[in-house]
Amino acid sequence: MDDNDNDLGAENSTELRRRRGIGVYSRIFDVPDHDVAAVMSARVGPVFAAEAFAAAGGAAWTHPALTARDRSIAIITALAAQGVSGDRLTTHLRQAGTHGISHDGLTALMTLLATYIGYPRAFSLMEAIERAADSGFHHRDDG
């Protein structure tokens, strides 16, 4: 980003938000920026993809008060509360690993959340965490 990106007008520009959003989804899907639009369009269609890029390019994904690790915990918690599983969850579990959240950390998170979201949902997510760990997404230690 250049110096013009730091002023309020540029901060909220549609194109800047789109570029930031593509960067976010590039990291989430682990694909190059130039492939993100095609990957997203194949998953959710081009109209929804455009909206997702604009949302992901906003302050929620760039505000310095939250670290990438904080965002991973928040997203996994939200997905857990909604009972989301499958590829969507697996993608964020992989991201959590790259943001320094270990298998032990995810286990502790699910143990904490079980009381609040219910054991059936936490149990389901814990199974996904174990599958992710078995696939090499997470290390089983806290190191």
Side-chain angles (χ1 to χ4, degrees):
M1 277 185 233
D2 59 32
D3 290 336
N4 293 333
D5 288 346
N6 292 327
D7 70 331
L8 187 57
E11 179 76 21
N12 293 316
S13 79
T14 302
E15 183 54 29
L16 179 58
R17 286 182 69 121
R18 181 180 182 282
R19 284 195 325 257
R20 284 182 180 161
I22 285 173
V24 167
Y25 279 101
S26 173
R27 291 185 299 277
I28 289 171
F29 294 135
D30 195 25
V31 298
D33 284 5
H34 63 271
D35 291 339
V36 172
V39 169
M40 281 290 282
S41 291
R43 290 176 76 119
V44 298
V47 172
F48 193 89
E51 288 297 316
F53 296 149
W61 283 92
T62 59
H63 198 285
L66 294 175
T67 66
R69 185 178 190 281
D70 296 337
R71 285 183 186 87
S72 283
I73 291 169
I75 291 166
I76 290 169
T77 299
L79 295 175
Q82 296 175 58
V84 174
S85 60
D87 187 44
R88 178 93 189 217
L89 176 64
T90 302
T91 297
H92 286 288
L93 291 174
R94 186 187 77 242
Q95 281 290 297
T98 65
H99 297 147
I101 304 171
S102 68
H103 177 272
D104 288 346
L106 289 170
T107 299
L109 178 62
M110 283 308 111
T111 304
L112 172 68
L113 291 178
T115 301
Y116 297 95
I117 67 172
Y119 276 85
R121 282 195 173 162
F123 190 95
S124 248
L125 264 74
M126 205 53 232
E127 288 176 325
I129 290 167
E130 290 301 316
R131 283 191 302 274
D134 291 342
S135 297
F137 283 158
H138 300 289
H139 300 289
R140 291 188 176 268
D141 60 15
D142 260 325

